[in-house]
Amino acid sequence: MKPDTCLIVTFDGLRRDRATPGLMPNLAGFMAQGSDFINARSVFPSETRVAVTSTATGCSPAAHGLVANQYLHPATPGRPFQTADYRDLMAAAAMGSLIDRPSLGDRLAAAGRTMAVVSTASPGATWMMNPNARELGHPVFSVYGPPVSTRSLHEAALAEFGPVPQAGTPNNDRIDYATRVLTELVYAGEAPDLCIMWLSDPDITSHGFGVLATETEQAQAHADAAFGRVLEWWRAGRGPENLIVMSDHGQITGVRRVDPVRMLPQWASRMSTGSFNGIYLDDRTFAGKQAAIDVLSDLDWVGLIFADGDEGRPLEGALPWSLVGNGHPRGPDVGFTLRATQPSAGAAADQCYFAAHIQPGGGMHGGLNRGELSTILAGAGPAFKAGFRSEVPCWLPDIAPTVMTILGLPTHGMEGRALGEALIGGPPAPDVERKLQSLSHRGHEQHLSYWQVGGRTIVDCGWTSGNGAWR
């Protein structure tokens, strides 16, 4: 076992309240025995490639600049920039406008350390876990093969385990294959200082069948069994010293499809859509933004609205981008979520409108409902306190500085903080203050609940009421 090393295992789309001993006994047991962060949150928008990039850079979308799963970018004129497609990512990188902060892979390489990736996620998500892996000589295994996989590792996997299985829902066979690549190949040959393993379930199955569906629970059970094999391998001392588990976002139930492009034809060619939607205005003046906000405020399917005025002058009916860690220059002038339910006690009640290609009843994410933002985060190993339960809010950008601290490397330039309260010999937890910002415009009422944690803003959840109430 190599000292001062770390493995991150991610369960894509797993809400914290679904990581129960009954559904996922291996995961739940690990979380209870290590350091468990019970108020962990995603970033906004709560979309996978945004979450991956925030995890890898230790920064918010406002800083790293990958502002949504799809948005408008000069690398793809005439159509939305698709972060699921590695070719779009390569085109943006060639222009010098993919991300504006170094990733963990860059930082480790500069320190003479190594990083590996083993992933069943989309090509784009896997690419963003270590965007410069190929140039840095870091191994990557993707079930989608080269060029997302580095060729030498992928060919070694094919030689050792045979062809990569076909995708499925649940994605059991690919998850099992990736688990073997991790435990039998990557650490046997590479011994990386850091590795990210990304499991595509329960996200894939929840999209297809629903958050509470039997099929999704079966996917959770299978992913948990794969994690159990990783745990057994790790506890036998054949992997890294420290193990972190996380999820990138949760999911809630999509109940009604809407089509923002059709419903807002005046911006059809200047809009990116999803649970998070962005409008790139031709008229970017204060008056132009305010006119767009007025239109959105009167629609019965719009949720929270975000925009910034000029020189600190607030726009009526819009929350400032800074409250949600977005607002990068590559982002839209005006952004909005689709309407969702108010904060609830569990997955059965959390619902939203959706613009994605799922069926009603399928799982959805991207917005600010607590079920979308709530994630798991826990760690164990010699760096972490055992049986420690932290109520201090944290979010995805805190993971990278925590890893860097474990590896004994600097964290300068990261917006997140090392979660020192959970580390052996670490500093005490920072002060926490809960806040609520509300506004009303044309009867559309918006609310954003957030924490100030050592001067950093972490969003708990957002919702609408009044004319904006869930119906």
Side-chain angles (χ1 to χ4, degrees), residues 102-259:
S103 72
L104 283 165
D106 300 321
R107 290 173 180 270
L108 265 67
R113 311 285 283 274
T114 59
M115 177 178 171
V117 171
V118 177
S119 173
T120 62
S122 71
T126 304
W127 191 278
M128 293 310 301
M129 293 171 203
N130 190 356
N132 297 316
R134 285 135 291 274
E135 294 83 357
L136 299 172
H138 289 171
V140 176
F141 173 80
S142 164
V143 292
Y144 292 93
V148 182
S149 284
T150 49
R151 188 164 297 278
S152 60
L153 178 56
H154 201 82
E155 290 177 350
L158 296 180
E160 188 74 17
F161 310 120
V164 176
Q166 292 296 309
T169 309
N171 212 16
N172 295 345
D173 292 343
R174 285 190 162 186
I175 286 173
D176 289 344
Y177 190 98
T179 301
R180 295 194 67 189
V181 172
L182 176 83
T183 59
E184 300 177 35
L185 194 59
V186 168
Y187 275 87
E190 304 288 348
D193 296 286
L194 171 66
C195 181
I196 294 176
M197 181 188 192
W198 201 280
L199 306 181
S200 51
D201 266 327
D203 185 76
I204 287 175
T205 307
S206 184
H207 278 309
F209 294 96
V211 179
L212 302 177
T214 299
E215 293 87 348
T216 303
E217 293 185 350
Q218 291 170 345
Q220 288 182 237
H222 196 93
D224 185 69
F227 178 65
R229 296 193 294 276
V230 172
L231 271 182
E232 182 180 5
W233 163 83
W234 174 68
R235 287 169 175 158
R238 297 196 292 269
E241 276 196 334
N242 300 283
L243 176 58
I244 294 173
V245 295
M246 60 167 281
S247 59
D248 54 339
H249 55 75
Q251 285 201 13
I252 61 178
T253 302
V255 296
R256 174 188 161 193
R257 180 181 285 107
V258 298
D259 185 349

Side-chain angles (χ1 to χ4, degrees), residues 444-468:
H444 185 81
E445 299 172 3
Q446 304 178 63
H447 313 276
L448 195 72
S449 174
Y450 62 99
W451 297 282
Q452 285 284 309
V453 182
R456 298 171 174 87
T457 299
I458 297 176
V459 176
D460 177 25
C461 60
W463 68 96
T464 53
S465 60
N467 292 347

